[in-house]
Amino acid sequence: MNDYVNLEKCLDYQFKNKDLIVEALTHKSFKKPYNNERLEFLGDAVLNLIVGEYLYKKFPQSNEGDLSKIRASLVNETGFTKLANEIKLGDYIYLSIAEERNKGRTKASILSDAFESIMGAIYLESGLETLKPIILTLLEKSYDKINLDVLFSDYKTALQEITQAEFGSIPDYKIEGSYGPDHKKEFEVSIWINNQCYGQAIGKSKKLAQQAVAKIALDKLKG
Amino acid sequence: MNDYVNLEKCLDYQFKNKDLIVEALTHKSFKKPYNNERLEFLGDAVLNLIVGEYLYKKFPQSNEGDLSKIRASLVNETGFTKLANEIKLGDYIYLSIAEERNKGRTKASILSDAFESIMGAIYLESGLETLKPIILTLLEKSYDKINLDVLFSDYKTALQEITQAEFGSIPDYKIEGSYGPDHKKEFEVSIWINNQCYGQAIGKSKKLAQQAVAKIALDKLKG
C-alpha cells in the first residue's frame, strides 16, 4: 500500500525511497530520531537555483538586482506555502499531537519547510533535471495567483514615497494606448511627476505597465 | 587560437561557448553591452547548492544550523577569492583601464564575482553534474588551507567570551589521549570550565577536537 498516491499524482512523480520521503514529511515536533530540517537545508538551495535559473532565462533583459528581487518575492515562506497548498502537502506532514492541536498543519512555517524538504528529497533521489519540471509546473500553475503585480508591487509604493518627500506630489500614470488582439492586449503607460514625463513602458496589463514605468522613474530619480 | 588554455587546464574543463566565457570574465567597469553580473547571480545559486550538498553528505550527523554555518564560512567573498586564485582567474578578467590601475585584478570582490560567474557559465553550458566535480576538486584542494579550524574558529572564541562574563575564567582544554597510526591520528580532548567537565570530543587534530568540544560546551551553556 502506498499512502502517498495523491501526493505523487499532484507532483506527477513517484517516490523511490519511502524512508527519505517520510523524513521529509516529519516535523521536528514529532520527536523521531530524524526530522525534515536537513532536507530543508538542501531543498532551500535547490529551489533557489531552479527558480533563479528560470528567472535568468525568462527575463533575459533583467539585471542581477532585479532578478534577485523577483526571486526573493517567490522564494520565501509565503511563496512556498502557496506551492505546498497546491499539492495539499499539509495532509501528509507528521506532527506532534500538541502541534496538531495548535493548527500546525496549516501554519505557513511548517508547510513551507516541508515543501523545501520534499523538494530536497526528490533532488537527492532523482537529481536536478527530474526536479526542475516539477517545480516549474507548480510555479507556472501558481503564477497567475502570485503574478507579476505582486512581484513588482514595491516599485509604485517606493516611488510614491520618494516623490511625496521630494516634490510634495504623487506620480501621475497616463494610459497612452493599447495594442494587440483582446486576448493578448498590451498597454502603454507614461509616468508624470510634477508635470514632467519620466518614461513610458508597455505591459500585459495596466498594472504591470504602471509597475514597469514606476521602476524606470525610480531608477532616474535615484540617479 | 584559444586564450584560455591555462584556465581550462586548471579547471580540467573545456569551454564550449566562448562568448559565454567572455561574458563571465567581463567586469562591469569594462563598459560592454554585457558584463558578468547576471552569470554571477546564477553562479551564486549553483555554488550554494553544490557546497550545500557536499556538506550535507560529508557531515551526516550535523544539523541544519551547523550545515548553514559551515557553508557560510565557505560560500563567501573570501572563500571564492581563494578558489579564484587557485585557478589564477585574475589573469583573465576584462577590466577598465581605471580599474586595472586601481589593482582591480587582485580585488577580492572582483575575483569572487568572476569566480561565481565562470561557474554560472559552466553550469549553463554543461549542467550541474559536469560542474560538481570541478567545484569539489577545487574545494578539496583548498581545504587544507581553508580547513575545519577556520570553519569552526568562532566556537572557541564565542565560548571564551561567555565563560569570562559568566565565570570570570577561560575554559581549560585537556588532551585525554590519541588514537590510530601516525598518519591518521585522532585526538580526544575534554573541556573544563570552573573545574567542571563540560564534555569530550575527538578530532583529526588537537585544534579540531578543541573546536568540537568548545561547541559542546557552548550548546550546554546556552540551554
Side-chain angles (χ1 to χ4, degrees):
Chain A
M1 199 196 116
N2 182 345
D3 290 332
Y4 305 117
V5 173
N6 288 326
L7 182 58
E8 289 177 330
K9 265 190 208 157
C10 281
L11 291 168
D12 192 19
Y13 173 80
Q14 241 182 316
F15 301 131
K16 292 177 190 168
N17 177 350
K18 292 291 187 289
D19 290 344
L20 196 65
I21 303 308
V22 169
E23 182 180 326
L25 292 169
T26 302
H27 183 250
K28 61 172 184 271
S29 67
F30 201 55
K31 300 287 173 215
K32 289 276 172 181
Y34 51 83
N35 66 49
N36 64 11
E37 291 189 318
R38 276 172 49 87
L39 284 168
E40 182 201 333
F41 167 81
L42 200 59
D44 176 73
V46 77
L47 285 164
N48 219 36
L49 174 61
I50 291 176
V51 177
E53 184 180 358
Y54 167 79
L55 297 173
Y56 176 92
K57 290 175 175 168
K58 190 181 174 81
F59 301 114
Q61 302 305 324
S62 294
N63 65 29
E64 185 203 10
D66 284 347
L67 292 175
S68 297
K69 211 167 183 173
I70 303 174
R71 180 171 59 190
S73 72
L74 290 169
V75 175
N76 61 40
E77 197 174 280
T78 312
F80 289 158
T81 303
K82 270 181 211 284
L83 301 184
N85 284 329
E86 192 79 49
I87 57 175
K88 298 187 177 62
L89 193 58
D91 297 353
Y92 304 91
I93 299 173
Y94 300 104
L95 289 172
S96 68
I97 295 169
E99 195 58 76
E100 185 84 68
R101 278 199 199 116
N102 203 14
K103 299 210 168 66
R105 207 167 282 286
T106 60
K107 271 189 197 163
S109 62
I110 291 177
L111 284 169
S112 163
D113 289 355
F115 183 79
E116 291 180 300
S117 308
I118 206 94
M119 296 305 147
I122 295 174
Y123 169 70
L124 213 54
E125 65 174 28
S126 296
L128 189 67
E129 294 312 315
T130 302
L131 184 57
K132 265 187 203 173
I134 296 174
I135 299 296
L136 297 186
T137 304
L138 276 176
L139 209 63
E140 298 273 13
K141 229 191 253 177
S142 305
Y143 222 61
D144 275 323
K145 297 171 206 161
I146 301 180
N147 88 32
L148 284 170
D149 282 352
V150 180
L151 303 183
F152 288 111
S153 67
D154 46 355
Y155 291 128
K156 275 183 79 174
T157 314
L159 178 65
Q160 185 168 324
E161 280 167 11
I162 289 178
T163 61
Q164 271 178 327
E166 241 172 81
F167 304 101
S169 67
I170 63 170
D172 197 15
Y173 297 89
K174 267 192 207 162
I175 295 166
E176 300 287 348
S178 63
Y179 314 97
D182 262 3
H183 68 282
K184 230 188 153 180
K185 211 181 264 314
E186 292 198 310
F187 296 87
E188 182 170 8
V189 166
S190 64
I191 188 163
W192 298 74
I193 303 167
N194 246 8
N195 298 319
Q196 202 190 323
C197 182
Y198 274 74
Q200 285 99 31
I202 289 175
K204 286 186 180 167
S205 71
K206 289 173 199 168
K207 271 195 181 177
L208 282 178
Q210 286 179 356
Q211 294 296 350
V213 81
K215 173 160 188 337
I216 291 170
L218 205 54
D219 286 345
K220 276 192 189 164
L221 283 174
K222 275 184 177 166
Chain B
M1 197 196 117
N2 183 345
D3 292 331
Y4 305 118
V5 172
N6 288 326
L7 182 58
E8 288 177 331
K9 266 190 207 154
C10 281
L11 291 168
D12 191 20
Y13 173 79
Q14 241 183 315
F15 301 132
K16 293 177 189 168
N17 177 351
K18 292 290 188 293
D19 290 345
L20 196 66
I21 302 309
V22 169
E23 182 180 328
L25 292 169
T26 302
H27 183 250
K28 61 173 184 273
S29 68
F30 202 55
K31 299 289 175 213
K32 290 274 171 183
Y34 51 83
N35 66 47
N36 64 13
E37 292 189 320
R38 276 171 50 86
L39 284 168
E40 182 203 332
F41 167 81
L42 201 59
D44 175 74
V46 77
L47 285 164
N48 218 37
L49 173 61
I50 291 176
V51 177
E53 183 179 358
Y54 167 79
L55 298 173
Y56 177 93
K57 289 174 176 167
K58 190 180 173 82
F59 301 115
Q61 302 304 324
S62 294
N63 65 29
E64 185 204 10
D66 285 346
L67 292 175
S68 298
K69 211 167 182 172
I70 302 173
R71 180 171 58 189
S73 72
L74 290 169
V75 175
N76 61 41
E77 198 174 280
T78 312
F80 289 159
T81 303
K82 271 181 209 285
L83 302 184
N85 284 329
E86 192 79 50
I87 57 174
K88 301 190 177 58
L89 193 58
D91 298 351
Y92 305 92
I93 300 174
Y94 300 104
L95 289 172
S96 68
I97 296 171
E99 194 58 77
E100 185 83 67
R101 281 200 198 114
N102 203 13
K103 299 209 168 70
R105 209 167 281 287
T106 60
K107 269 189 198 164
S109 62
I110 291 178
L111 284 169
S112 163
D113 289 356
F115 183 79
E116 290 179 301
S117 308
I118 206 93
M119 296 306 147
I122 297 175
Y123 169 71
L124 214 53
E125 64 174 29
S126 295
L128 188 68
E129 294 311 315
T130 301
L131 184 57
K132 266 187 204 173
I134 296 175
I135 299 295
L136 297 186
T137 303
L138 276 176
L139 209 64
E140 298 272 13
K141 229 190 253 176
S142 306
Y143 222 62
D144 276 324
K145 299 170 208 161
I146 301 179
N147 88 32
L148 283 171
D149 281 353
V150 180
L151 303 183
F152 288 111
S153 67
D154 47 352
Y155 290 129
K156 274 184 80 174
T157 314
L159 179 65
Q160 186 168 323
E161 281 167 11
I162 290 178
T163 61
Q164 272 177 326
E166 244 173 79
F167 304 101
S169 67
I170 63 171
D172 197 14
Y173 297 90
K174 268 191 208 163
I175 295 165
E176 300 286 349
S178 62
Y179 315 97
D182 262 1
H183 68 284
K184 230 187 153 180
K185 211 180 264 313
E186 293 197 311
F187 297 86
E188 183 169 10
V189 166
S190 64
I191 188 163
W192 298 74
I193 302 166
N194 247 6
N195 298 319
Q196 202 189 323
C197 181
Y198 275 75
Q200 284 99 31
I202 290 176
K204 286 184 181 170
S205 72
K206 289 172 199 168
K207 271 195 180 174
L208 283 177
Q210 285 179 355
Q211 294 295 352
V213 81
K215 173 161 188 338
I216 292 170
L218 205 55
D219 287 345
K220 276 192 188 161
L221 283 174
K222 275 185 177 164

CSV table of all heavy atoms in Angstrom, one decimal, chain B residues 196-216:
chain,number,residue,atom,x,y,z
B,196,GLN,N,34.9,22.1,36.3
B,196,GLN,CA,33.8,21.1,36.0
B,196,GLN,C,34.0,20.7,34.5
B,196,GLN,O,34.2,21.5,33.6
B,196,GLN,CB,32.5,21.8,36.2
B,196,GLN,CG,31.3,20.8,36.4
B,196,GLN,CD,30.0,21.5,36.4
B,196,GLN,OE1,29.8,22.6,36.9
B,196,GLN,NE2,29.0,20.8,35.9
B,197,CYS,N,33.8,19.4,34.2
B,197,CYS,CA,34.0,18.9,32.9
B,197,CYS,C,32.7,19.2,32.1
B,197,CYS,O,31.6,18.8,32.6
B,197,CYS,CB,34.3,17.4,32.8
B,197,CYS,SG,34.5,16.8,31.2
B,198,TYR,N,32.8,19.7,30.9
B,198,TYR,CA,31.6,20.0,30.1
B,198,TYR,C,31.5,19.1,28.9
B,198,TYR,O,30.6,19.3,28.1
B,198,TYR,CB,31.6,21.5,29.7
B,198,TYR,CG,31.0,22.4,30.7
B,198,TYR,CD1,31.7,22.7,31.9
B,198,TYR,CD2,29.7,22.9,30.6
B,198,TYR,CE1,31.1,23.5,32.9
B,198,TYR,CE2,29.1,23.7,31.5
B,198,TYR,CZ,29.8,24.0,32.7
B,198,TYR,OH,29.2,24.8,33.6
B,199,GLY,N,32.5,18.2,28.7
B,199,GLY,CA,32.3,17.3,27.6
B,199,GLY,C,33.7,16.8,27.0
B,199,GLY,O,34.7,17.3,27.4
B,200,GLN,N,33.6,15.8,26.1
B,200,GLN,CA,34.7,15.3,25.4
B,200,GLN,C,34.4,15.3,23.9
B,200,GLN,O,33.3,15.2,23.5
B,200,GLN,CB,35.1,13.9,25.8
B,200,GLN,CG,35.7,13.7,27.1
B,200,GLN,CD,34.7,13.3,28.2
B,200,GLN,OE1,33.8,12.6,27.9
B,200,GLN,NE2,35.0,13.7,29.4
B,201,ALA,N,35.5,15.4,23.1
B,201,ALA,CA,35.3,15.2,21.7
B,201,ALA,C,36.6,14.7,21.1
B,201,ALA,O,37.7,14.9,21.6
B,201,ALA,CB,34.9,16.6,21.1
B,202,ILE,N,36.4,14.0,19.9
B,202,ILE,CA,37.6,13.5,19.2
B,202,ILE,C,37.7,14.3,17.9
B,202,ILE,O,36.7,14.6,17.2
B,202,ILE,CB,37.3,12.0,18.9
B,202,ILE,CG1,37.5,11.2,20.3
B,202,ILE,CG2,38.3,11.5,17.9
B,202,ILE,CD1,37.2,9.8,20.2
B,203,GLY,N,38.9,14.5,17.5
B,203,GLY,CA,39.1,15.3,16.2
B,203,GLY,C,40.4,14.8,15.5
B,203,GLY,O,41.3,14.2,16.2
B,204,LYS,N,40.5,15.2,14.3
B,204,LYS,CA,41.7,14.8,13.5
B,204,LYS,C,42.9,15.6,13.8
B,204,LYS,O,44.0,15.3,13.3
B,204,LYS,CB,41.4,14.9,12.0
B,204,LYS,CG,40.5,13.8,11.5
B,204,LYS,CD,40.2,13.8,10.0
B,204,LYS,CE,39.3,12.6,9.7
B,204,LYS,NZ,38.8,12.7,8.3
B,205,SER,N,42.8,16.6,14.6
B,205,SER,CA,43.9,17.4,15.2
B,205,SER,C,43.5,17.9,16.5
B,205,SER,O,42.3,17.8,16.9
B,205,SER,CB,44.3,18.5,14.3
B,205,SER,OG,43.3,19.6,14.4
B,206,LYS,N,44.5,18.3,17.3
B,206,LYS,CA,44.1,18.8,18.7
B,206,LYS,C,43.2,20.0,18.5
B,206,LYS,O,42.2,20.2,19.2
B,206,LYS,CB,45.4,19.2,19.4
B,206,LYS,CG,46.2,18.0,19.8
B,206,LYS,CD,47.6,18.5,20.4
B,206,LYS,CE,48.5,17.3,20.4
B,206,LYS,NZ,49.9,17.7,20.7
B,207,LYS,N,43.5,20.9,17.5
B,207,LYS,CA,42.7,22.1,17.3
B,207,LYS,C,41.2,21.7,17.0
B,207,LYS,O,40.3,22.3,17.5
B,207,LYS,CB,43.3,22.9,16.2
B,207,LYS,CG,44.3,23.9,16.6
B,207,LYS,CD,44.6,24.9,15.5
B,207,LYS,CE,45.6,25.9,15.9
B,207,LYS,NZ,46.0,26.9,14.8
B,208,LEU,N,41.1,20.7,16.1
B,208,LEU,CA,39.8,20.4,15.7
B,208,LEU,C,39.0,19.8,16.8
B,208,LEU,O,37.8,20.0,17.0
B,208,LEU,CB,39.8,19.4,14.5
B,208,LEU,CG,40.1,20.0,13.2
B,208,LEU,CD1,40.2,18.9,12.1
B,208,LEU,CD2,39.0,20.9,12.8
B,209,ALA,N,39.7,19.0,17.6
B,209,ALA,CA,39.0,18.4,18.8
B,209,ALA,C,38.6,19.5,19.8
B,209,ALA,O,37.5,19.4,20.4
B,209,ALA,CB,39.9,17.4,19.5
B,210,GLN,N,39.5,20.5,19.9
B,210,GLN,CA,39.1,21.6,20.8
B,210,GLN,C,37.9,22.4,20.3
B,210,GLN,O,37.0,22.7,21.1
B,210,GLN,CB,40.3,22.6,20.9
B,210,GLN,CG,41.5,22.0,21.8
B,210,GLN,CD,42.7,23.0,21.8
B,210,GLN,OE1,42.7,24.0,21.1
B,210,GLN,NE2,43.7,22.7,22.6
B,211,GLN,N,37.9,22.6,19.0
B,211,GLN,CA,36.7,23.3,18.5
B,211,GLN,C,35.4,22.5,18.7
B,211,GLN,O,34.4,23.1,19.0
B,211,GLN,CB,36.9,23.6,17.0
B,211,GLN,CG,38.1,24.5,16.7
B,211,GLN,CD,37.9,25.9,17.2
B,211,GLN,OE1,36.8,26.3,17.7
B,211,GLN,NE2,38.9,26.7,17.1
B,212,ALA,N,35.5,21.2,18.5
B,212,ALA,CA,34.4,20.4,18.6
B,212,ALA,C,33.8,20.4,20.0
B,212,ALA,O,32.6,20.5,20.3
B,212,ALA,CB,34.7,19.0,18.1
B,213,VAL,N,34.8,20.3,21.0
B,213,VAL,CA,34.4,20.2,22.4
B,213,VAL,C,33.9,21.6,22.8
B,213,VAL,O,33.0,21.8,23.7
B,213,VAL,CB,35.5,19.7,23.3
B,213,VAL,CG1,36.5,20.7,23.6
B,213,VAL,CG2,34.9,19.0,24.5
B,214,ALA,N,34.5,22.7,22.3
B,214,ALA,CA,34.0,24.0,22.6
B,214,ALA,C,32.6,24.2,22.2
B,214,ALA,O,31.7,24.8,22.9
B,214,ALA,CB,34.9,25.1,21.9
B,215,LYS,N,32.2,23.6,21.0
B,215,LYS,CA,30.8,23.7,20.6
B,215,LYS,C,29.9,23.0,21.6
B,215,LYS,O,28.8,23.5,21.9
B,215,LYS,CB,30.7,23.1,19.2
B,215,LYS,CG,29.2,23.0,18.8
B,215,LYS,CD,29.0,22.9,17.3
B,215,LYS,CE,27.5,23.0,16.9
B,215,LYS,NZ,26.5,22.8,17.9
B,216,ILE,N,30.3,21.8,22.0
B,216,ILE,CA,29.5,21.0,23.0
B,216,ILE,C,29.3,21.9,24.3
B,216,ILE,O,28.1,22.0,24.7
B,216,ILE,CB,30.2,19.7,23.4
B,216,ILE,CG1,30.2,18.8,22.1
B,216,ILE,CG2,29.6,19.0,24.5
B,216,ILE,CD1,31.1,17.5,22.3
